[in-house]
Every structure is written in C-alpha cells, then in structure tokens.
C-alpha cells in the first residue's frame, strides 16, 4: 500500500512540475498572432475565405458598423469608463459577426441564404444609441472644460481688480 | 431568419464534434492557430473532446477486469496523454525558439492538442472493435497487444497530423512573408527617396527535423509513462491494483507479452 502511495505521489509531483512549466510558458510567452485585446476588423480573406458573402449585404453592414464604432473607440480617452464599455461591446460585436458569417456560409450551402436583416437592424440601433451616449458624454466633458476656462478667466480678472485696487 | 439557427451557431462548436472540423477544414484550423484567433475556445474544445474520448476508451479497456479497473483506466488514460503532453511541450517550445521558429507557447499547445484530439477520437472509434474482441477472445496477452497496437497506431496518426499541420503553417507563413516582401518592394519602387534600410529580422519557420526528433521524444516519454501507469487492463488472475511496481520497461514488456501469447 505504501509503495502505491509513493508511486502516486511521484506521479503527482511529475504532473505538478510539468503543469507548472506549461502554465508559466502560457503566461509569459509572447504572442505571434493577433494577440489578446487586439480586435479583428472586418472580414479579412485569410480567416473568412467566402469573400463573395462579406462584400455586400448584412455582413458588410455589420463590418461597417464595427469600423465606425472602432473609430469612435479610438477617439474616447483610453482607460475611461466609456472606452472600457465600448471595447467590451466591440468584442461582443466581433462574436456576432463571426456567428453571422458562419450562418451565411452554412445556409448558402442549402440554397436558402439566412435573413440577417433583423440582426443588422438591432446592431445599428445599438450603434445609434452608443453614438448618442458618447456625444452626450463628450459634450458634457466639453462643458466642464469651458467652465474651467471661465473659472480661470474669472480668477485672472479678480487678480487684476485686486492689483488695480492696490 | 432563424433566430434558432443564429443562437445555435452563436454558441461555440460542440466540443466532441471539433474533430469533424479538423477533418473537413484542416487548413482553416491551422490558419486559426497561426493567427491565434479564438484560440482559447479551440483549446478548450480540444481538451474537453480528447479527455472525454480517452476516458470512454479507458472504461472499455478496464471493463475486461472489474468495475474498479474500468474506472481507474477511465481516469488513467486521459492522464497518460495529457501528462505526456505537459512533459514534452516545454521542450517543443524552447527548441522552436532556439532554432529561430515563430511559434508561441499557445500555438505549440494548440498544435499538440490537435494531434491529441485526432488520436483520442480515433481511439474511441476503435472501442467497438475492442469490445468485440473482449467478448469473443478471452486471452489476456492478446487483449494487451490489441490495445497497445490500437494506441500506437492512433498515436502515430495523431502525430502525423501534427507534422502535416506544421508543414501547412510553415507554408502559410512563407506565403505571407512573400506577399509582405512584394508589397515592400512595390512601396520602395514607388517612393522617390531611396533610403538604405537595414533588413528586418527574418524569423525562420519551425524546423521539421527538430519536430521529428520531438515526435520521437514524445513517443519515448509516452510509452514509459504508460508503463509507469499500468495496469490499464488488469490481469484477470489478480485482484484490482491501482499501479504495478515499476520494473523493466515498456519494450521488454511488449516482447514478453508476445512470448506469452504464443506459448
């Protein structure tokens, strides 16, 4: 029985060392491809070979929405709430785009192209809401900046008045 | 449209069916690994499908002895393959770096797991044959040799899948490099300024010789680990035992079993 336990412990130790090495490699090794956090834009031909499906229709509309939202994301301040939220939504949208592509490819085989209009309409509706929200936030930020500017001018004026009075 | 269809395909492909994608769209899988696109999901699917397939085959192997042996083999067979992978993966990754290769650790893991998925699924496909011989042939040495042959055969097919994957990834990388070089030449020709530029460091594709050496190493580690984890079938003349004492080695064991078969 003790020999069995020794055997098991030995194998457990080997397993732990090997697993530790693999986890370390996965944690610290670099990435050769797209990498985490980087977003794939549109439908590049090497990942989505059925380019005749992506050039027009619903898939092109989704890609255009993604492109517009990605350009907005680049303009908002990094690490802000808005940027984090937009980034999460862009990753969701990427998953939706991948799914839509797969559905189109599969349904095309059966000669009944999938109607993705409702999906596109929903995504575009979300895009409109996002754009409105971002505009409001940016305008609010702009308002704050102008208020700060006015405060600065007021302080300068007060200083001038004090100097004149003196 | 079918919301149902959309929902169905929004979910990741079902893990046990990942093999279908491997066999139908091999190039797509290699491309996905090369670009590391959606690799975590693919790794999860491959891990789940190979563990389930090997556990099922382990159950069949151990059922020749007793329920305890079946359960032990269902646990030991996935452990055998996954531990062999974990032991050998760092060497593949570091040798690849030493030779100037461009594989990342995740890509190396995905490549080896793809070979394991093919091996595991093929092994499971042999389960009805093993069951047939379990019922019709009562010879213990024959049963050991049958399973050893099946595992060696499926392991070899899986490793050849890995080699073909590496070939394909190297070819894709070379094609990509050629396109980039061509674009650079066109840009340089088009510009009026001729600036002397230092050549960009060229990463070499993974050496196939190195890969073949690694495949041999993987085979040696796998067979020795299998010998250490035995019994997988359980000798019908003996009570259930989790591990046998480590003595001799796999190759002598196989020769002795062949001898017992013809005695």
């Amino acid at each position: 029985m003790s020999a069995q336990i020794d055997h098991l412990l030995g194998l457990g130790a080997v397993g732990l060392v090997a697993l530790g090495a693999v986890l370390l490699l996965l944690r610290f090794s670099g990435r050769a491809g797209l990498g985490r956090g980087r977003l794939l834009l549109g439908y590049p031909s090497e990942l989505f070979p059925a380019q005749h499906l992506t050039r027009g229709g619903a898939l092109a509309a989704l890609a255009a929405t993604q492109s517009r939202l990605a350009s907005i994301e680049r303009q908002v301040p990094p690490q802000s709430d808005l940027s984090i939220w937009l980034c999460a939504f862009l990753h969701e949208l990427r998953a939706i785009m991948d799914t839509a592509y797969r559905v189109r490819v599969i349904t095309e085989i059966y000669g009944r192209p999938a109607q993705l209009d409702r999906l596109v309409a929903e995504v575009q509706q979300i895009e409109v809401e996002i754009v409105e929200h971002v505009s409001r936030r940016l305008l609010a930020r702009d308002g704050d900046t102008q208020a700060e500017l006015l405060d600065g001018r007021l302080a300068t004026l007060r200083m001038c008045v004090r100097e004149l009075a003196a | 449209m079918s919301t149902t269809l959309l929902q169905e395909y929004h979910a990741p492909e079902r893990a046990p069916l990942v093999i279908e994608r491997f066999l139908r769209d091999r190039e797509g899988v290699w491309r996905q690994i090369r670009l590391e696109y959606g690799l975590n999901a693919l790794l999860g699917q491959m891990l789940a499908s190979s563990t389930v397939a090997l556990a099922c085959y382990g159950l069949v192997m151990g059922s020749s002895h007793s329920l305890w042996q079946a359960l032990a083999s269902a646990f030991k067979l996935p452990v055998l393959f996954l531990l062999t992978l974990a032991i050998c993966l760092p060497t593949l990754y570091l040798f690849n770096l030493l030779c100037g290769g461009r594989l990342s650790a995740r890509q190396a893991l995905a490549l080896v797991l793809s070979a394991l998925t093919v091996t595991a699924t093929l092994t499971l496909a042999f389960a009805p044959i093993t069951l047939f011989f379990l019922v019709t042939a009562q010879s213990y040495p024959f049963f050991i040799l049958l399973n050893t042959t099946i595992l060696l055969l499926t392991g070899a097919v899986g490793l050849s899948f890995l080699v073909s994957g590496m070939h394909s990834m190297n070819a894709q990388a070379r094609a990509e490099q050629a396109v980039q070089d061509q674009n650079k030449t066109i840009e340089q020709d088009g510009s009026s300024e001729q600036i002397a530029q230092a050549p960009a460091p060229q990463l070499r594709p993974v050496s196939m010789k190195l890969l073949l050496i690694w495949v041999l190493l993987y085979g040696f580690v796998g067979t020795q680990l299998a010998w250490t984890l035995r019994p997988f079938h359980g000798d019908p003349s003996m009570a259930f035992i989790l591990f046998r004492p480590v003595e001799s080695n796999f190759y002598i064991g196989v020769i002795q079993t062949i001898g017992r078969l013809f005695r």
Side-chain angles (χ1 to χ4, degrees), chain A residues 69 85 122-136:
Chain A
L69 288 177
W85 190 87
E122 269 183 44
V123 168
Q124 283 174 340
Q125 179 61 38
I126 294 171
E127 183 195 355
V128 170
E129 284 171 22
I130 288 173
V131 170
E132 278 174 9
H133 182 71
V134 171
S135 313
R136 270 201 304 272

Side-chain angles (χ1 to χ4, degrees), chain B residues 57 60-62 64 123 126 130 140-154 232-233:
Chain B
Y57 191 76
V60 173
M61 276 169 90
S64 63
T123 307
F126 273 102
T130 309
Y140 175 60
F142 172 75
F143 197 59
I144 289 182
L145 283 177
L146 176 74
N147 280 300
T148 309
T149 312
I150 288 172
L151 288 172
L152 285 176
L153 182 75
T154 54
F232 288 92
H233 314 89

Side-chain angles (χ1 to χ4, degrees), chain B residues 153-172:
Chain B
L153 182 75
T154 54
V157 173
L159 288 172
S160 71
F161 188 78
L162 166 72
V163 174
S164 77
M166 197 68 92
H167 265 300
S168 175
M169 278 178 66
N170 281 349
Q172 285 178 10

Side-chain angles (χ1 to χ4, degrees), chain A residues 6-7 19 30 37 52-53 63-64 67 88 93 112 124 127 133 139 143 151:
Chain A
D6 284 350
H7 199 130
L19 196 67
H52 61 285
L53 296 177
S67 164
L93 180 58
R112 294 178 64 185
Q124 283 174 340
E127 183 195 355
H133 182 71
L139 280 174
D151 282 346

Side-chain angles (χ1 to χ4, degrees), chain B residues 17-34:
Chain B
L17 299 180
V18 71
I19 185 70
E20 198 178 344
R21 196 182 152 212
F22 273 44
L23 301 178
R24 285 182 194 276
D25 180 26
R26 240 177 250 204
E27 288 303 313
V29 173
W30 303 136
R31 208 177 297 125
Q32 187 178 351
I33 294 175
R34 189 169 62 82

